[in-house]
Amino acid sequence: MTLAAGSSLGPYRVTDKLGEGGMGQVYRARDTKLNRDVALKVLPESFADDPDRLARFTREAQVLASLNHPNVAAIYGIEANALVMELVEGPDLSALIARGPMPLSDALPIARQIADALEAAHEQAIVHRDLKPGNIKVRPDGTVKVLDFGLAKALSPGSEESGLRGPGDLANSPTLTARATQLGMILGTAAYMSPEQARGRAVDRRADIWAYGAVLYEMLAGKRAFEG
């Protein structure tokens, strides 16, 4: 579903398109009931009539809703085939890194908040699986928000693993791109993947710790730890 500026989805009036990803398009919209700006993450049309993909979309909403933390972008609800999410103003971390290596005094407060967000997710048995600078925003007041838990997978209670053990299990991921129904598809971003994730093996919270280390290195060095 593509929305134009000025169109409405329930009480939300679209004002601008912010971006597009594997799970659909993201728009800035105005909540006409509560008079606040929100982000709408809208499913692509190819997903709308697919019960399995809609189920993954619902699971993403449930994952996000369970993460009530000041450093995690909040979800406000579901409207039709769209997630209604907190609109986070400010640049993403990749834009800040593009300016060059960050002073330690600037990097540490950001790194600490990212760690707090991941710890909160891990305490609820949730693994992000796609942590990278583009999924981290820094508001003008310095508050960090970790975005897009779309590749997260809730762990079974008491389990250290995500259950992603083989290509066949990829169909159970909360979000997949339009091409990810192919067996053997690996989810994530290559430069920040842990070795086991890149090999399609079982993934647990340690994959996030690896990605966190890669992000921290990039903040301090001004370049990626791994180019591939």
Side-chain angles (χ1 to χ4, degrees), residues 86-130:
E86 176 184 4
L87 178 66
V88 183
E89 303 286 2
D92 64 40
L93 187 55
S94 63
L96 300 181
I97 292 172
R99 301 172 185 171
M102 300 176 65
L104 192 61
S105 58
D106 293 341
L108 283 180
I110 295 173
R112 185 178 297 113
Q113 292 179 76
I114 298 169
D116 287 345
L118 291 177
E119 182 178 33
H122 293 170
E123 286 177 351
Q124 296 194 45
I126 296 168
V127 180
H128 190 292
R129 294 203 302 177
D130 195 26

Side-chain angles (χ1 to χ4, degrees), residues 18 26-29 37-40 73-74 76 85-89 137 139:
L18 298 177
V26 182
Y27 298 88
R28 178 193 292 266
D37 288 335
V38 300
L40 293 179
Y76 298 143
M85 304 177 67
E86 176 184 4
L87 178 66
V88 183
E89 303 286 2
K137 280 216 167 191
R139 295 194 329 195

Side-chain angles (χ1 to χ4, degrees), residues 33-55:
K33 288 186 176 179
L34 298 179
N35 291 323
R36 64 180 176 183
D37 288 335
V38 300
L40 293 179
K41 186 175 183 181
V42 182
L43 280 173
E45 292 181 5
S46 60
F47 281 35
D49 297 325
D50 187 324
D52 290 336
R53 285 171 173 169
L54 285 174

Side-chain angles (χ1 to χ4, degrees), residues 180-228:
T181 52
Q182 302 172 32
L183 296 183
M185 185 78 171
I186 296 174
L187 305 180
T189 301
Y192 307 94
M193 281 185 182
S194 64
E196 66 273 15
Q197 185 176 4
R199 295 186 178 107
R201 295 179 180 173
V203 175
D204 61 28
R205 66 198 67 191
R206 289 171 293 186
D208 283 349
I209 296 172
W210 172 284
Y212 175 77
V215 170
L216 182 57
Y217 176 93
E218 190 169 342
M219 291 167 62
L220 297 174
K223 62 180 181 180
R224 287 181 175 178
F226 307 101
E227 292 299 327

Side-chain angles (χ1 to χ4, degrees), residues 1 12 40 62 64:
M1 174 170 46
Y12 305 101
L40 293 179
Q62 293 168 344
L64 288 169

Side-chain angles (χ1 to χ4, degrees), residues 2 31 55 57 64 66 80 90 92 101 148 164 184 197 210:
T2 301
D31 184 338
F57 184 68
L64 288 169
S66 71
D92 64 40
D148 197 3
L164 183 61
Q197 185 176 4
W210 172 284

